[in-house]
């Protein structure tokens, strides 16, 4: 609970830092309402809609209300999926407003000791340090391989956790070994004629927990004719920090990444995670007020490109792609679609695969409820959203759900497990599916 002094400071910061022109751009037309999962799943509560949250922010700026727990709760309930932005006739950059508001609150509120410790560990102690991410993943690998996982399941120890976390443990991928995570390439040559020179943004979770997907990405780029450079100095993209009220740390990570990539002389900086790509492509906004970095950030963001766009540009979908007969549907990564504006390329690739009968899922562009760590901190709403998504997936009768973001992938695996469909339905990252289709 915030004190009166904290609320006064937060209100002053809202008045100083919030973009009032952006707040005023919202016409309250309601076009955003049908696109907002939390508005729909909350029973159409206005405070859980984009225009409702903007109205709350504006009221705080104008001094009409205090930034109390109800305001904070409304902002925290937002998935940050940004589905409201493409449909907004005024072009309101809602995501930027949300990040700024969350940062103001987080930096001027005194959390409990437990929460402060957790935030310090996650934001400062873990994600900015890839060696620590590898160590944590190696510990997960030890748990999986040593027999501890079997014992925990046999004796029901996991039942002490909330149900959604117990199910999530079941769908975690088999993680790589410590040696595999520390033996990563720095440069790869193209197969055949060189068509592009690209850099690969490996990410933190993607190059540890989902390392096999990163390997598949680099393999596909090579097969498509790309020389691939993987700078070892790159860092976490900073998305978790930016969305979680730690913008200062997000800016520091952005600067580390810009420095790591800017001298490589590449055509593109390729990503394979929608959430990472969307944050990387907005480094120019993140650093717009920093005179020393603004132009460098713009140059960096101009080169960001999703793997699916690169593959389509290089006509990879015209090569021989084939899988065993199966029905395939696609779940959009919110940030890939709504921020990076990539929706057609993944579908074009999937529709080119022989044996894959593509069926469009209703509301494929609606958030699955993962949203970074949202499914951990807001499990009830997340599971409501996931239940709806699984209803739509089942209607397609798909045996394979393809997505393009690690969080979405785990969430869809979680949905499949919750529905008892794991015997005849799977979820897979698009690059893993494409590598399967191209012949490993």
């Amino acid at each position: 609970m915030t004190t009166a002094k904290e609320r006064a400071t937060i209100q002053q910061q809202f008045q100083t830092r919030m973009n009032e022109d952006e707040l005023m751009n919202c016409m309250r037309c309601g076009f955003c309402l049908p696109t907002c999962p939390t508005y729909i799943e909350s029973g159409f509560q206005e405070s859980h809609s984009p225009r409702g949250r903007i109205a709350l922010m504006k009221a705080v700026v104008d001094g009409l209300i205090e930034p109390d727990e109800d305001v904070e709760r409304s902002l925290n309930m937002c998935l940050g999926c940004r589905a409201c932005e493409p449909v907004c006739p005024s072009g309101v950059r809602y995501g930027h407003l949300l990040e700024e508001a969350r940062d103001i609150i987080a930096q001027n509120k005194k959390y409990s000791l437990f929460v402060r410790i957790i935030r310090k560990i996650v934001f400062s102690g873990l994600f900015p340090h890839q060696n620590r991410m590898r160590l944590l993943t190696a510990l997960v690998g030890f748990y999986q391989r040593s027999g501890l996982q079997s014992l925990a399941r046999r004796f029901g120890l996991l039942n002490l956790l909330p149900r959604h976390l117990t199910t999530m443990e079941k769908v975690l991928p088999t993680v790589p070994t410590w040696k595999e995570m520390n033996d990563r390439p720095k440069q790869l040559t193209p197969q055949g004629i060189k068509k592009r020179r690209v850099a690969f943004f490996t990410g933190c979770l993607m190059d540890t927990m989902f390392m096999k997907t990163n390997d598949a990405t680099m393999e596909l780029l090579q097969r498509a004719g790309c020389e691939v450079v993987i700078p070892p100095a790159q860092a976490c993209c900073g998305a978790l920090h930016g969305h979680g009220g730690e913008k200062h740390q997000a800016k520091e990570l952005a600067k580390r990444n810009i420095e790591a990539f800017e001298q490589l002389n590449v055509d593109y900086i390729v990503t394979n995670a929608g959430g990472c790509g969307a944050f990387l492509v907005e480094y120019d906004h993140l650093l717009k007020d920093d005179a020393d970095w603004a132009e460098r950030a713009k140059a960096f963001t101009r080169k960001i490109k999703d793997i699916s766009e690169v593959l389509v540009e290089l006509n990879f979908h015209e090569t021989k792609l084939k899988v065993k007969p199966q029905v395939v549907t696609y779940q959009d990564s919110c940030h890939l679609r709504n921020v990076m504006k990539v929706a057609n390329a993944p579908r074009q690739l999937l529709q080119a695969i022989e044996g894959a009968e593509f069926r469009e899922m209703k509301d494929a562009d609606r958030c699955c409820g993962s949203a970074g760590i949202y499914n951990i901190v807001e499990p009830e709403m997340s599971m409501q959203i996931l239940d709806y998504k699984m209803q739509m997936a089942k209607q397609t009768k798909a045996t394979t759900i393809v997505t393009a973001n690690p969080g979405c992938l785990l969430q869809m695996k979680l949905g499949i497990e919750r529905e008892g469909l794991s015997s005849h339905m799977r979820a897979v990252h698009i690059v893993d599916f494409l590598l399967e289709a191209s012949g490993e």
Side-chain angles (χ1 to χ4, degrees):
M1 183 175 291
T2 53
T3 64
K5 183 178 180 181
E6 288 168 350
R7 290 196 296 273
T9 302
I10 290 169
Q11 190 147 34
Q12 186 274 325
Q13 289 285 301
F14 261 70
Q15 292 166 348
T16 303
R17 290 174 51 183
M18 294 300 293
N19 186 330
E20 194 159 5
D21 289 339
E22 200 74 74
L23 291 171
M24 290 295 292
N25 278 343
C26 177
M27 302 185 299
R28 315 289 189 267
C29 65
F31 278 33
C32 60
L33 300 183
T35 71
C36 180
T38 55
Y39 173 71
I40 295 167
E41 296 297 334
S42 68
F44 309 108
Q45 290 186 39
E46 188 70 26
S47 62
H48 292 323
S49 73
R51 75 173 181 185
R53 293 182 177 106
I54 290 174
L56 289 174
M57 296 179 209
K58 183 69 168 62
V60 172
V61 170
D62 292 342
L64 300 177
I65 62 172
E66 287 191 329
D68 57 15
E69 282 69 28
D70 290 337
V71 172
E72 184 180 1
R73 180 66 183 143
S74 174
L75 298 179
N76 287 342
M77 185 64 77
C78 181
L79 293 148
C81 69
R82 297 174 68 168
C84 50
E85 292 186 12
V87 300
C88 178
S90 299
V92 176
R93 303 301 296 272
Y94 170 80
H96 295 167
L97 292 172
L98 178 69
E99 287 178 6
E100 193 72 8
R102 284 177 170 173
D103 188 62
I104 292 169
I105 292 172
Q107 297 307 312
N108 294 284
K109 171 186 175 179
K110 187 173 182 180
Y111 291 101
S112 68
L113 178 61
F114 176 76
V115 172
R116 290 203 304 274
I117 291 172
I118 294 298
R119 289 180 68 90
K120 182 74 173 177
I121 291 172
V122 172
F123 292 125
S124 301
L126 184 59
F127 278 88
H129 307 281
Q130 191 65 0
N131 59 330
R132 297 176 190 175
M133 291 292 292
R134 293 189 186 114
L135 178 59
L136 178 62
T137 304
L139 291 174
V140 174
F142 177 76
Y143 165 75
Q144 291 177 335
R145 297 183 184 95
S146 65
L148 287 175
Q149 185 178 57
S150 298
L151 287 173
R153 291 177 177 179
R154 183 183 306 166
F155 291 105
L157 298 179
L158 296 173
N159 294 332
L160 299 174
L161 299 172
R163 182 187 169 217
H164 73 288
L165 292 181
T166 302
T167 310
M168 196 174 293
E169 187 271 348
K170 293 181 182 178
V171 302
L172 286 176
T174 301
V175 302
T177 65
W178 174 258
K179 182 178 184 302
E180 289 172 330
M181 286 185 286
N182 283 278
D183 186 22
R184 305 300 286 147
K186 296 180 181 178
Q187 190 156 351
L188 297 167
T189 57
Q191 294 181 14
I193 300 172
K194 177 181 171 181
K195 299 177 182 178
R196 298 287 188 277
R197 174 179 162 89
V198 303
F200 178 43
F201 182 81
T202 57
C204 44
L205 274 177
M206 289 303 298
D207 215 43
T208 50
M209 191 76 71
F210 297 92
M211 196 184 80
K212 290 182 180 178
T213 300
N214 268 7
D215 290 342
T217 302
M218 291 184 281
E219 175 73 15
L220 289 177
L221 288 170
Q222 287 180 281
R223 293 188 185 190
C226 293
E227 177 186 1
V228 186
V229 184
I230 309 100
Q234 62 182 295
C236 168
C237 68
L240 188 65
H241 302 78
H243 302 327
E246 298 288 341
K247 285 187 73 174
H248 173 73
Q249 292 188 66
K251 290 177 181 179
E252 292 307 309
L253 289 167
K255 292 172 184 178
R256 283 172 59 185
N257 282 322
I258 292 169
E259 283 186 327
F261 283 90
E262 64 185 349
Q263 300 299 325
L264 296 180
N265 188 29
V266 294
D267 299 302
Y268 305 126
I269 300 170
V270 181
T271 70
N272 63 1
C276 295
F279 202 73
L280 294 169
V281 85
E282 291 197 330
Y283 275 3
D284 56 342
H285 172 77
L286 185 67
L287 297 172
K288 63 182 174 60
D289 297 322
D290 191 321
D292 294 330
W293 288 90
E295 290 303 316
R296 294 168 73 179
K298 287 180 182 178
F300 176 88
T301 59
R302 282 195 292 266
K303 292 190 174 183
I304 298 297
K305 214 170 185 70
D306 183 69
I307 175 68
S308 62
E309 291 183 294
V310 176
L311 293 177
V312 168
E313 181 179 307
L314 298 178
N315 299 314
F316 187 76
H317 56 298
E318 295 180 2
T319 62
K320 184 174 177 57
L321 299 171
K322 185 177 181 179
V323 293
K324 294 178 181 178
Q326 57 195 282
V327 177
V328 176
T329 194
Y330 179 69
Q331 163 61 23
D332 285 281
S333 157
C334 294
H335 286 150
L336 182 61
R337 184 183 184 105
N338 300 324
V339 182
M340 296 187 75
K341 312 301 182 187
V342 178
N344 292 330
R347 289 170 169 83
Q348 192 172 347
L349 290 163
L350 293 174
Q351 289 168 350
I353 300 173
E354 183 183 344
E357 180 187 343
F358 182 78
R359 294 182 188 171
E360 187 69 43
M361 185 196 313
K362 181 184 177 185
D363 293 334
D365 57 346
R366 185 185 292 187
C367 186
C368 65
S370 172
I373 59 171
Y374 188 92
N375 55 2
I376 297 174
V377 298
E378 298 289 348
E380 184 177 348
M381 178 60 75
S382 176
M383 293 304 104
Q384 278 183 239
I385 294 168
L386 177 58
D387 288 344
Y388 175 80
K389 181 61 63 176
M390 291 309 300
Q391 288 178 32
M392 299 302 101
K394 286 190 290 186
Q395 286 180 9
T396 67
K397 301 190 184 304
T399 54
T400 301
I401 303 174
V402 178
T403 188
N405 188 62
C408 302
L409 179 61
L410 280 182
Q411 185 81 338
M412 299 314 297
K413 285 178 177 286
L414 181 62
I416 290 169
E417 189 70 28
R418 278 166 56 90
E419 296 286 333
L421 300 173
S422 55
S423 63
H424 58 277
M425 181 184 280
R426 64 171 177 159
V428 62
H429 193 288
I430 188 169
V431 298
D432 294 311
F433 192 60
L434 288 169
L435 187 62
E436 177 186 328
S438 63
E440 294 187 44

